[in-house]
Amino acid sequence: MTQTNSEFDTDNEWRAQTYALLANLLYRAPDAQLLEALAALEVTEPDSPLAASWQALSESAKNIEAQQLEKEYQQLFIGLIQGELIPYGSYYQTGFLNEKPLAVLRGDLAKLGLARQQDSAEPEDHISAECDVMRLILTANGVPVVDEQQFFNRHLKPWASRFFIDLQQAKSASFYQAVGMLGERFIKMETERLAEKSH
């Protein structure tokens, strides 16, 4: 069955929005307004694994306060010295920060005309940043120099699933356990989708 342009646009818009949400949730703890929006989500097909993860995220948002989430985010990703998780592609792929995967990523970001903001101390291979680049690629006019398949396969596929599994299993994770579930299932769907696209 062929996909019409309208269906393709709608599909890409939904994917871009999911990447944007993951980027937002992993960059900082959600505020009360975002929590309220997540709590109000209506899942139409709860039987699918991905929909079940959206449902779990919505339920988690109903049962936690923004102030609690600030503490949870700090424990998971920042900590006194470091958080429970280290959300960087280089670390997951090599065991060290600022290694070859970051250099490769910087090369692709340069091709896309993207560079780290001067006031940011975060390396570009933070999971939030890589999700946001996918959002930008999916919403770009025309075909980017580095397309969605190339970027995903080089920079998210090698490690994102492991990160999201670790997030689900983290001791400090409560709300973020649901974020990990959504991320893992979404990345699995993207892996399958982009593999089919290459055939």
Side-chain angles (χ1 to χ4, degrees):
M1 186 172 75
T2 57
Q3 191 174 35
T4 67
N5 285 339
S6 176
E7 288 171 331
F8 178 79
D9 290 344
T10 302
D11 197 39
N12 270 11
E13 183 180 342
W14 175 83
R15 291 169 61 213
Q17 289 173 352
T18 303
Y19 276 116
L21 176 63
L22 289 171
N24 195 324
L25 292 173
L26 294 163
Y27 181 69
R28 64 169 68 88
D31 58 19
Q33 185 178 3
L34 180 52
L35 275 180
E36 187 178 335
L38 291 172
L41 283 173
E42 293 184 10
V43 180
T44 54
E45 299 176 16
D47 293 338
S48 78
L50 187 62
S53 65
W54 280 107
Q55 185 70 54
L57 185 64
S58 180
E59 291 299 323
S60 295
K62 293 173 186 174
N63 297 312
I64 197 163
E65 300 291 330
Q67 193 172 4
Q68 290 174 271
L69 263 177
E70 285 284 351
K71 183 178 179 182
E72 183 178 335
Y73 186 90
Q74 287 280 332
Q75 290 174 328
L76 283 168
F77 302 116
I78 300 172
L80 291 175
I81 298 174
Q82 69 179 40
E84 192 174 340
L85 298 179
I86 302 175
Y88 300 98
S90 281
Y91 181 81
Y92 264 82
Q93 293 174 78
T94 71
F96 299 95
L97 295 172
N98 301 316
E99 291 294 325
K100 185 177 178 180
L102 178 57
V104 174
L105 173 63
R106 284 175 173 164
D108 280 346
L109 293 178
K111 291 176 187 175
L112 290 164
L114 301 172
R116 184 174 69 181
Q117 294 180 349
Q118 291 185 348
D119 59 350
S120 175
E122 293 281 4
E124 298 90 326
D125 60 344
H126 191 287
I127 184 69
S128 169
E130 292 194 0
C131 285
D132 200 43
V133 175
M134 281 296 292
R135 173 192 66 82
L136 289 169
I137 290 172
L138 287 168
T139 55
N141 291 322
V143 180
V145 176
V146 181
D147 67 20
E148 57 174 307
Q149 190 173 20
Q150 291 172 317
F151 190 88
F152 181 87
N153 286 341
R154 287 178 189 166
H155 306 298
L156 278 164
K157 184 179 175 182
W159 73 284
S161 288
R162 283 183 290 144
F163 166 78
F164 284 120
I165 290 169
D166 287 347
L167 183 55
Q168 291 172 72
Q169 298 172 349
K171 293 178 182 178
S172 304
S174 176
F175 172 83
Y176 275 90
Q177 188 174 29
V179 177
M181 184 189 302
L182 174 64
E184 181 196 359
R185 292 177 180 177
F186 180 66
I187 291 295
K188 181 180 179 182
M189 183 198 78
E190 287 287 273
T191 300
E192 293 169 352
R193 173 198 300 275
L194 294 169
E196 288 177 7
K197 185 178 175 181
S198 65
H199 295 312

